[in-house]
Amino acid sequence: MYNPMRFSWWRNFPLFFFLLVGASQVPAVGLSPLLHVFTPLPSSGLNQRPCLPTPNKELLDDNILKFAATTITNEQYGMPGWTRGQGSRFHKGVDIQPVQVERGRGTVRIDYYDAKAGRGFYRREPVLIPKDEIYSILDGTVVVANNNEKRSGYGRYVMIEHRFENGSRFVSMYAHLNELTVSEGTPVKAGQRIGWMGGSSSKAGARNYLKAIPHCHFEVGRVIDQNFAGTRRARALYPPMLGGKYDPRNIQPYNPVEFLQTYRAVPRPAVLAANLD
Ligand SMILES: [Zn+2]
């Protein structure tokens, strides 16, 4: 029988190994399977053309490898839908590459896995600091403006609520920002600057990675459970729930690349830059 007084660290080594290495890869128990599949876009459209979320316009030329972040071993790295952690995590967003970076100080060690050779290796890579602005894709209202990097693996992020033509609501999310320029409850216009790209995350590993492969994690989705905030499941979340029903773990994703392409996203018009910043 299990006796907590005689708990042996050595006998429980597999447990500790799991907690150290595996736990961060396992989805929280009880979270919706809807988080692991893209939901089809509704037949009802939008009543305005969306703007691209950053100055990166490569998507308009179908140049996806210059729009989404890539690594030396995985050119699909920043794409939506691929799984990380040996298939246990579903990438809900698209990681958009910056178009303006400054060289930071020093280098950072990045661990890679060579799938062909079946072995891991590491490289020291230059530190890159992204300088891109981040824009709201549509008119909407800021529902989450998280300025506390430690509260989420997404770091400092903004979530904005919008409406489809038929009135149903959905959200867009812009993560790992350096700085936010809007606050919760603020109405925003399509193309309005809402912050600056950065490398924030509560997870040291993610911050490290973002130094070498900077990007904005951009997501579009809809609230799964309107009463999420009151559920036991939500109260048991770790890191703790953030934004009530707008917690990212209660957002079922649309494919963000498909979203921008279907609704024919345009670059942020120059006139907006003059009026909204
Ligand atoms: Zn991402």
Side-chain angles (χ1 to χ4, degrees):
M1 237 214 292
Y2 176 67
N3 178 349
M5 299 305 289
R6 295 178 57 201
F7 189 80
S8 157
W9 290 75
W10 287 111
R11 243 182 300 150
N12 286 286
F13 179 74
L15 172 66
F16 293 120
F17 187 78
F18 168 78
L19 290 174
L20 286 169
V21 177
S24 64
Q25 314 253 330
V26 177
V29 175
L31 282 182
S32 172
L34 298 176
L35 292 165
H36 298 274
V37 62
F38 288 124
T39 191
L41 291 169
S43 49
S44 153
L46 295 169
N47 44 29
Q48 68 182 148
R49 293 270 291 266
C51 290
L52 291 167
T54 80
N56 187 328
K57 302 178 187 118
E58 300 288 347
L59 191 66
L60 306 181
D61 302 322
D62 284 326
N63 209 346
I64 195 73
L65 295 179
K66 285 187 175 169
F67 184 72
T70 60
T71 77
I72 57 167
T73 56
N74 185 357
E75 60 177 25
Q76 301 287 313
Y77 174 80
M79 289 290 286
W82 77 276
T83 54
R84 298 181 185 168
Q86 286 77 50
S88 64
R89 286 169 61 202
F90 180 84
H91 192 223
K92 290 162 70 184
V94 56
D95 293 340
I96 305 173
Q97 285 185 37
V99 296
Q100 287 181 79
V101 289
E102 272 177 17
R103 188 57 214 275
R105 268 205 280 177
T107 58
V108 62
R109 175 185 160 149
I110 301 292
D111 290 288
Y112 291 104
Y113 185 73
D114 182 339
K116 268 189 203 149
R119 63 180 177 83
F121 66 98
Y122 75 88
R123 275 185 16 163
R124 295 211 69 91
E125 305 217 344
V127 172
L128 302 173
I129 303 167
K131 294 289 171 184
D132 290 16
E133 297 181 313
I134 305 294
Y135 313 123
S136 175
I137 55 166
L138 293 159
D139 293 357
T141 305
V142 178
V143 288
V144 182
N146 176 42
N147 257 309
N148 185 344
E149 167 177 44
K150 295 195 176 110
R151 287 189 67 188
S152 170
Y154 291 112
R156 286 183 280 272
Y157 70 86
V158 176
M159 196 179 278
I160 302 174
E161 191 165 64
H162 317 280
R163 284 169 190 268
F164 287 110
E165 213 167 21
N166 67 5
S168 71
R169 295 162 193 250
F170 67 100
V171 294
S172 60
M173 179 196 192
Y174 315 79
H176 306 306
L177 304 187
N178 177 38
E179 193 188 331
L180 278 51
T181 53
V182 289
S183 49
E184 269 167 39
T186 315
V188 290
K189 290 283 182 194
Q192 181 172 340
R193 190 182 65 216
I194 55 169
W196 300 88
M197 200 183 286
S200 60
S201 172
S202 62
K203 296 179 186 168
R207 289 198 301 276
N208 193 61
Y209 210 83
L210 281 154
K211 282 180 188 166
I213 300 134
H215 60 258
C216 170
H217 174 98
F218 169 71
E219 214 173 292
V220 193
R222 63 181 183 189
V223 168
I224 296 170
D225 179 358
Q226 294 293 332
N227 302 313
F228 182 73
T231 60
R232 264 178 72 190
R233 192 177 72 201
R235 289 195 296 269
L237 288 176
Y238 193 83
M241 181 174 56
L242 182 56
K245 70 177 180 181
Y246 299 107
D247 185 286
R249 291 158 288 191
N250 191 38
I251 302 295
Q252 182 183 22
Y254 298 109
N255 182 321
V257 167
E258 186 193 341
F259 183 98
L260 294 172
Q261 288 177 330
T262 300
Y263 300 123
R264 297 183 298 134
V266 290
R268 180 204 204 200
V271 63
L272 283 173
N275 292 334
L276 293 174
D277 287 346

